[in-house]
Amino acid sequence: MKIGIPKEIKNNESRVGMTPAGVFALTNKNHTVYVQATAGEGSGFFDKDYIDVGATILPTIEDVYAKSEMIVKVKEPIASEYPLITENQIVFTYFHFASSEPLTKAMIASKAICIAYETVEDFDGSLPLLTPMSEVAGRMSVQQGAKYLEKPVKGRGILLGGVPGVTPGKVLILGAGVVGVQAAKMAAGLGAHVTILDINMKRLRYVNDVLPSHVITGFSSEYVIRQHIKTHDLIIGGVLVKGGKAPKLITKDMLKEMRPGTVVVDVAVDQGGCFETTRATTHEDPTYIIDDVVHYCVANMPGAVPFTSTMALTNVTLTYILKIANLGWEKACENDESLAKGLNIVQGEIVYKELEGIFD
């Protein structure tokens, strides 16, 4: 198969779809890999690294799309890429269709085979291709939240870990999934007071078992959330609905209940966000303020740490990329139920049930 790795062109996105090690695994199986010139530089991988493992470097994104049967990316195609995608071309990337009607309609019109990393699902319900980026984003949410609590960037002026004689900052985490657990680990490691809320008692029991005793679990409800937001300094939204839009757990009127300088970080922004006031931001301009509450809603948080993120992503995607390349998408999905759940749009038809009718 001819596989293309274009350069990511979303704002401040420095990740790349595959490491040289991943490319080597493909060329070693006699597949052809086209890499756009400088595509890997943001992640610390250079054209020579790809050439050394058998890739062909192409000068433009148009060349990569035109020559490739499968495109391997990180982020969803943006508007300038829509016309480059051709009928029956396989596009394997994070799509997050539920948060973008234009993208969804463009991919339907393209009649391409759209396989979304975020909906590939194992038999136990876990999402193996979303997990590493959720781990990165969960850990980063505390790192970024701690920074934006500083007064020069309009935060409350709180040091999360406190110091002797001064109470540590308080972190509220909505959702005890991968994002929530990783965020709790980081916040607890800094010495913050951490509360994590969820409606899944199995997850809360897990958190209670594996995290330090100063991480407090709570059963989530609107009433409980309204009580906690009054006293917490950093609020992290990490709620996921597989393939669908995130629920709005914090509404605009709740912001008035928060103290001025409170920071909210919405890790669910790719799925529409779990705060009513969420709008996607970029690393170039990451925050905005509503009712004296600092919002951090960067839609590609892991893009700020591209070396770590690209390595983590290739670790989990490569197995599936090899299956598709070796067998073709139809046979690969027939043989692997997990991969089959990644099919979102096929030749102009929505095939992922959570997306059906979402933009009618």
Side-chain angles (χ1 to χ4, degrees), residues 30-358:
N30 298 316
H31 299 295
T32 300
V33 181
Y34 300 112
V35 179
Q36 185 181 343
T38 72
E41 284 189 1
S43 295
F45 307 118
F46 298 91
D47 289 351
K48 185 181 184 301
D49 299 325
Y50 289 105
I51 292 168
D52 287 347
V53 293
T56 299
I57 303 297
L58 296 178
T60 69
I61 193 169
E62 289 82 4
D63 291 331
V64 173
Y65 274 94
K67 289 180 176 288
S68 303
E69 297 166 278
M70 174 163 65
I71 296 293
V72 176
K73 280 175 51 61
V74 180
K75 291 302 293 178
E76 74 284 349
I78 64 173
S80 62
E81 292 172 275
Y82 298 168
L84 306 179
I85 297 169
T86 57
E87 186 172 349
N88 291 321
Q89 191 171 44
I90 303 161
V91 184
F92 196 25
T93 189
Y94 290 114
F95 276 107
H96 299 288
F97 282 118
S99 65
S100 177
E101 183 174 358
L103 172 66
T104 303
K105 291 190 171 177
M107 293 304 98
I108 290 171
S110 74
K111 297 189 175 178
I113 314 301
C114 300
I115 309 177
Y117 292 157
E118 72 273 10
T119 65
V120 172
E121 183 178 336
D122 278 344
F123 67 92
D124 61 357
S126 63
L127 304 172
L129 306 192
L130 187 62
T131 293
M133 294 306 99
S134 295
E135 289 169 337
V136 172
R139 293 185 176 208
M140 277 192 69
S141 68
V142 175
Q143 184 172 302
Q144 298 301 320
K147 179 169 70 180
Y148 286 100
L149 275 170
E150 295 171 7
K151 200 65 177 179
V153 283
K154 309 302 183 185
R156 290 197 68 228
I158 298 285
L159 181 65
L160 273 185
V163 291
V166 181
T167 305
K170 298 182 75 174
V171 180
L172 175 65
I173 300 168
L174 306 179
V178 175
V179 167
V181 169
Q182 296 302 319
K185 282 182 181 178
M186 290 292 282
L190 286 173
H193 178 286
V194 184
T195 301
I196 185 166
L197 304 180
D198 205 302
I199 56 173
N200 183 330
M201 285 304 302
K202 284 185 179 178
R203 291 300 301 175
L204 293 178
R205 290 188 180 102
Y206 171 78
V207 169
N208 194 65
D209 285 344
V210 301
L211 290 180
S213 58
H214 64 286
V215 176
I216 307 302
T217 58
F219 192 82
S220 186
S221 68
E222 182 179 342
Y223 177 85
V224 170
I225 292 172
R226 284 183 179 273
Q227 294 304 306
H228 280 79
I229 61 176
K230 298 173 184 177
T231 58
H232 283 71
D233 306 299
L234 170 60
I235 300 167
I236 295 169
V239 177
L240 174 72
V241 175
K242 292 175 186 175
K245 284 191 173 182
K248 305 298 184 191
L249 299 183
I250 291 185
T251 55
K252 188 176 188 307
D253 70 289
M254 291 185 188
L255 301 185
K256 290 181 170 49
E257 300 293 317
M258 301 178 191
R259 293 174 295 192
T262 297
V263 175
V264 296
V265 177
D266 196 343
V267 186
V269 60
D270 272 336
Q271 296 292 109
C274 57
F275 307 148
E276 187 180 8
T277 48
T278 289
R279 58 175 172 82
T281 61
T282 67
H283 290 295
E284 192 172 77
D285 187 16
T287 63
Y288 56 94
I289 297 172
I290 298 176
D291 293 337
D292 294 322
V293 173
V294 180
H295 291 60
Y296 179 96
C297 304
V298 174
N300 62 328
M301 288 175 66
V305 287
F307 176 80
T308 299
S309 298
T310 295
M311 294 286 285
L313 185 60
T314 301
N315 286 345
V316 293
T317 58
L318 184 59
T319 299
Y320 296 98
I321 292 166
L322 281 166
K323 284 181 182 178
I324 296 167
N326 291 337
L327 302 173
W329 72 268
E330 289 178 283
K331 190 70 174 175
C333 290
E334 187 180 310
N335 290 355
D336 190 325
E337 289 183 20
S338 297
L339 180 60
K341 290 183 179 179
L343 289 169
N344 277 221
I345 297 174
V346 174
Q347 297 166 330
E349 299 290 332
I350 291 176
V351 297
Y352 191 69
K353 64 180 182 180
E354 280 79 358
L355 286 177
E356 290 173 1
I358 194 167

